Amino acid sequence: MPAVRPVHPLAWGSLVAVLATCFACASPAAAAPQPVHLGAAAAAFNSGSATAAGGCICTVAQFHDVGPTNNSYVVPFDGVLVASGFYVGNSVEPVDAPTAQVQTVHPTGASTGDVVSEGLTHSLLGLTKNTVDSFYERVPAAAGDVLAARFHNSGFIEATPYFFKTAASGDGAEVFFTPVAAGASLSGGGAAAERRLNLEAELEPDEDHDGYGDASQDLCLGSPIATAACSGTLFGSDLQGPRTALAGCGGGGCMLIQTSASGASTAAPFNGVVVRWRVLNASSGSFRARVVAFREDAGGGFLKYNVLRSSAAQSISAPFGPLVSKLSTFETRLPIQAGQYVALSGGGAGFQSSMGGATYFSSIPPDPLDGNVATGELHNGTVLYDADIEPDVDGDGYGDVSQDSCPADASIHEGSCPASAAGGGGGGGASASGASPAPPSPAPGKPAITGLAAKPKSFRAKPVGGIAARGATGTKLVLDLSAKATVALTVATKKGKRLWTLTRSLGPGRASIPYDGRYRRHGKALDLPPGSYRLTAIAGNPAGAGPAARATFTVLPPG
């Protein structure tokens, strides 16, 4: 798959997370749609003289589509086009600057419509000729709209075709020889019977409406965070962009370590716990996440790492379609110290060979066991896995954001946190104003949170699937931060049961974050039931994690 304008990966120090404040999605009882393959590039139906047209400077929309049922050009549900494919012809000349671009069109008549969205303009120069070339996309698509494409190349018969002949008399493409961009309307085109657009695409659902496909692009389902850690800090890249190859190890397997991304080291910046890891894979296989430490005694051009501990093995099935990978996420609990790395064991992970400033270590087979040493070499590229690392203030091996109900007491992981362990603010014991008492002074450089509160303290949750009156629902979570940090805010019941964690990268000073009173559970968006809740905030940066701040709020009955 050619690398075409991938999204920039994230690195330590450049995390930008959006608070999960809105889950505008379908009824929580509705099953999520599965990814589907739309359309078909010319080579999938015919080749050579059967191709119906050479190149053009035009927009083509598939308004009439009665071809194979599994290759419809009609968008069946709201979602995101995550990949596109075009059959590239034999004539690709630099003087023509040939390009292709996927679009979606909302039909307004039998041969008219509005261009709603479009992807990047992809150059066809240098691609493999006489075959289907595919591209990474992130294009919003709405149910009932149809696929379209904008082409720019010569009119030679061997140029990249804009449509091709089919055997179905009801198939019909509308060709507009004045190319149209998103936001404009299509009219005055020419109908081409028994013709289908030279385009295929992969459509994925996007339940949280963050613009990232849920099957291969979204790192945090059910939240607009999309490309940052669901909680804590993200290790490695954000897994966005095209998969250009497979990360292979050869016979016997090996261990891979992403050592830098975007020119920055991926070593853990503070002591914490790996609570979650992901693989964007291209084939079936068995994978493990590992924590490793670099050794200084390597020589002869080789590097060495001590393999400290591993997660449980996870079996991952092959992706659903040829154009994309499959994103798999797993919960774990692996303590990690500052300066150590997260490694990946297993074959079939996706790989990006062209990402700048990215290096990874590959061990010599066989795959080393825990307690052993991995010996290998450093290479350029990005292995498509990552992990979420949360702080662990009390050093008990439980992540403070999503795994530990009492981050200041190493003996408590579930249930209420006593006031003595919470710096005077535990057990829901916030002040009458809803703000937590000032926490103990943090170590130099570690961020401190003061003034944590929900304003208003009592509010109504915005109903899932409904529209409430303006200003009638939700609250704002306010706090003062002593230094730039990644802040994790956890909502829990009064008895300490954690429901949802929100993360955001914030600068020093006062922050005010809208919150609508929703949370996510088992893939469904839910309202917080009426009652009292605890809010815990923890801030972390490369100097470490500061003490937790706590407050309470109340969700009122609908009214």
Side-chain angles (χ1 to χ4, degrees):
M1 182 179 294
V4 180
R5 298 189 187 181
V7 179
H8 294 296
L10 294 177
W12 299 115
S14 62
L15 296 172
V16 180
V18 179
L19 186 63
T21 59
C22 180
F23 303 105
C25 59
S27 168
Q34 296 299 306
V36 296
H37 186 89
L38 300 177
F45 279 79
N46 43 27
S47 60
S49 61
T51 301
C56 73
I57 300 176
C58 61
T59 288
V60 183
Q62 194 70 37
F63 282 114
H64 311 288
D65 176 17
V66 296
T69 56
N70 63 334
N71 294 112
S72 174
Y73 288 74
V74 180
V75 177
F77 54 80
D78 291 353
V80 177
L81 300 178
V82 299
S84 65
F86 300 88
Y87 178 84
V88 177
N90 188 59
S91 177
V92 182
E93 302 299 332
V95 68
D96 300 321
T99 61
Q101 179 185 34
V102 63
Q103 298 179 317
T104 68
V105 172
H106 177 69
T108 57
S111 59
T112 60
D114 299 321
V115 180
V116 179
S117 63
E118 59 188 19
L120 295 173
T121 300
H122 302 298
S123 172
L124 304 182
L125 292 174
L127 302 183
T128 304
K129 300 178 181 179
N130 305 314
T131 190
V132 177
D133 288 277
S134 54
F135 304 89
Y136 173 85
E137 302 283 4
R138 195 163 63 80
V139 182
D145 290 352
V146 300
L147 293 185
R150 181 161 57 171
F151 296 94
H152 184 285
N153 58 68
S154 72
F156 294 137
I157 190 65
E158 292 188 336
T160 297
Y162 53 93
F163 60 52
F164 54 94
K165 183 174 174 56
T166 74
S169 60
D171 277 344
E174 290 286 333
V175 182
F176 303 85
F177 286 100
T178 300
V180 177
S185 297
L186 294 169
S187 62
E194 298 183 13
R195 299 295 187 273
R196 304 194 99 198
L197 169 62
N198 173 23
L199 167 67
E200 61 181 355
E202 297 284 352
L203 174 72
E204 294 181 4
D206 178 21
E207 285 196 90
D208 51 19
H209 301 279
D210 57 9
Y212 290 78
D214 290 345
S216 68
Q217 296 178 338
D218 197 339
L219 302 191
C220 194
L221 295 176
S223 164
I225 288 174
T227 58
C230 281
S231 59
T233 307
L234 189 71
F235 167 96
S237 80
D238 62 5
L239 307 187
Q240 303 304 306
R243 169 177 53 81
T244 57
L246 278 175
C249 296
C254 69
M255 188 182 71
L256 305 170
I257 309 169
Q258 193 69 46
T259 55
S260 69
S262 294
S265 171
T266 57
F270 52 77
N271 297 347
V273 177
V274 179
V275 299
R276 188 178 301 104
W277 58 283
R278 310 173 189 84
V279 177
L280 192 68
N281 70 310
S283 63
S284 298
S286 179
F287 298 84
R288 293 178 188 266
R290 294 178 150 184
V291 172
V292 300
F294 179 71
R295 292 174 56 121
E296 299 289 348
D297 58 350
F302 289 98
L303 304 176
K304 291 184 178 181
Y305 288 84
N306 290 328
V307 183
L308 305 179
R309 58 191 67 90
S310 300
S311 71
Q314 302 290 347
S315 180
I316 302 176
S317 61
F320 61 86
L323 297 185
V324 295
S325 296
K326 174 184 176 183
L327 184 63
S328 301
T329 303
F330 304 99
E331 305 296 321
T332 191
R333 190 168 63 82
L334 295 173
I336 188 170
Q337 300 294 309
Q340 295 176 353
Y341 295 85
V342 180
L344 179 70
S345 171
F351 178 73
Q352 293 171 338
S353 59
S354 61
M355 299 298 289
T359 58
Y360 72 97
F361 165 91
S362 177
S363 70
I364 299 172
D367 190 5
L369 300 176
D370 289 3
N372 290 343
V373 176
T375 301
E377 298 177 300
L378 201 64
H379 309 274
N380 294 321
T382 301
V383 182
L384 297 179
Y385 77 100
D386 65 15
D388 294 349
I389 302 176
E390 294 179 3
D392 181 17
V393 173
D394 55 13
D396 59 2
Y398 288 79
D400 290 346
V401 179
S402 64
Q403 297 178 338
D404 196 346
S405 65
C406 192
D409 189 329
S411 66
I412 301 176
H413 316 304
E414 300 280 346
S416 299
C417 189
S420 59
S431 66
S433 66
S436 60
S441 299
K446 293 183 179 181
I449 296 174
T450 55
L452 178 67
K455 296 185 178 182
K457 183 180 178 182
S458 299
F459 61 94
R460 293 181 175 85
K462 184 176 181 180
V464 174
I467 300 176
R470 185 185 179 105
T473 61
T475 186
K476 290 184 178 179
L477 309 179
V478 299
L479 58 89
D480 290 290
L481 191 60
S482 65
K484 181 179 179 181
T486 297
V487 178
L489 300 103
T490 299
V491 175
T493 65
K494 194 172 183 180
K495 294 184 178 180
K497 180 181 179 181
R498 295 181 300 276
L499 298 177
W500 189 243
T501 297
L502 320 170
T503 62
R504 191 168 187 180
S505 180
L506 300 174
R510 172 60 60 96
S512 179
I513 306 162
Y515 178 59
D516 58 9
R518 294 175 177 175
Y519 70 105
R520 197 83 175 174
R521 180 66 63 187
H522 302 305
K524 298 178 180 179
L526 303 172
D527 298 324
L528 289 175
S532 298
Y533 294 89
R534 294 168 48 187
L535 177 66
T536 302
I538 298 175
N541 64 15
R550 290 179 170 82
T552 61
F553 62 83
T554 301
V555 175
L556 302 173

